[in-house]
Amino acid sequence: MSGVEETGAGKSRAPLGRRVLLWAPLGLAAGAGVGFWAMLRGMRDGSYDPRGVPSALLGKPAPGFALPAVQGLSTPGFGPEALAAGGPVLLNFWASWCVPCVVEHPQLMALQRRGVKLFGVNYKDKPADAARFLAQHGNPFGALVADAEGRAGIDYGLYGVPETYLLDGRGIVRWRWAGPMMPDTVSAELEPLLRRYA
């Protein structure tokens, strides 16, 4: 057999599998085009948020974890009970190797100066590098733990670092920000929530 089917009039047709392979790229391109069109339409009417990374944790208790304090620092560690100890808590995942974390850091320092409770999770980092980073840029964290293997990051559905979660006084996740918080993020997104959950 030559790989073609004979039809009644002596014409040949490609087998079904080959036809599917020929049409598959066209179908994928059409699907991508529709997705791109929807994104452009959302950008035009303001409904598309490029940072809108969904989180299954919103409205649910924050996952607990038992992680050690970062070695070589005097900043204490914390356990899951501290995440529900009253008042809002910002839980920030960060690393010394993360360039956007440097960009975000002044906002964390400003929040700390205002008395916002900040807990840090040093993500897949070396303790000495984390200590150098905080010595150079300042330490905004009232408590800090090391997630050397990234297990807490998995539990939180971490998209990348930096990533910040706002927990209310009962330890319920109320807000998530993937990427560096900028001054406009703090004023437009975070400030109203800090007032609401104070």
Side-chain angles (χ1 to χ4, degrees):
M1 286 232 128
S2 62
V4 294
E5 299 171 356
E6 291 295 325
T7 60
K11 297 179 184 175
S12 61
R13 283 181 34 185
L16 179 62
R18 192 175 303 172
R19 282 183 281 159
V20 169
L21 285 175
L22 292 172
W23 284 100
L26 183 60
L28 288 173
V34 169
F36 186 67
W37 174 80
M39 182 187 74
L40 289 176
R41 192 172 120 198
M43 290 173 76
R44 186 173 56 234
D45 67 18
S47 64
Y48 173 73
D49 178 8
R51 293 193 179 276
V53 180
S55 175
L57 293 177
L58 291 178
K60 296 180 181 173
F65 48 74
L67 296 170
V70 177
Q71 292 177 351
L73 292 174
S74 60
T75 307
F78 63 93
E81 67 285 346
L83 300 177
V89 174
L90 278 182
L91 184 64
N92 180 258
F93 285 79
W94 68 280
S96 65
W97 45 262
C98 161
V99 174
C101 295
V102 176
V103 173
E104 175 183 69
H105 210 74
Q107 280 64 249
L108 298 180
M109 293 301 294
L111 288 165
Q112 184 258 349
R113 284 190 295 273
R114 290 181 34 214
V116 174
K117 191 187 295 185
L118 271 162
F119 288 176
V121 179
N122 186 233
Y123 182 73
K124 293 187 175 181
D125 209 351
K126 296 178 181 170
D129 293 341
R132 269 192 298 275
F133 181 97
L134 295 177
Q136 181 178 356
H137 300 287
N139 186 352
F141 303 112
L144 181 62
V145 294
D147 187 14
E149 296 178 9
R151 289 186 182 155
I154 291 170
D155 291 342
Y156 275 77
L158 198 67
Y159 181 70
V161 287
E163 194 159 303
T164 306
Y165 296 80
L166 174 66
L167 285 61
D168 69 12
R170 296 180 298 129
I172 305 297
V173 177
R174 297 300 179 184
W175 180 74
R176 175 197 199 191
W177 188 259
M181 289 190 295
M182 303 304 287
D184 59 333
T185 310
V186 173
S187 60
E189 298 264 344
L190 183 57
E191 294 279 0
L193 293 169
L194 287 172
R195 287 192 295 271
R196 179 176 177 183
Y197 295 108

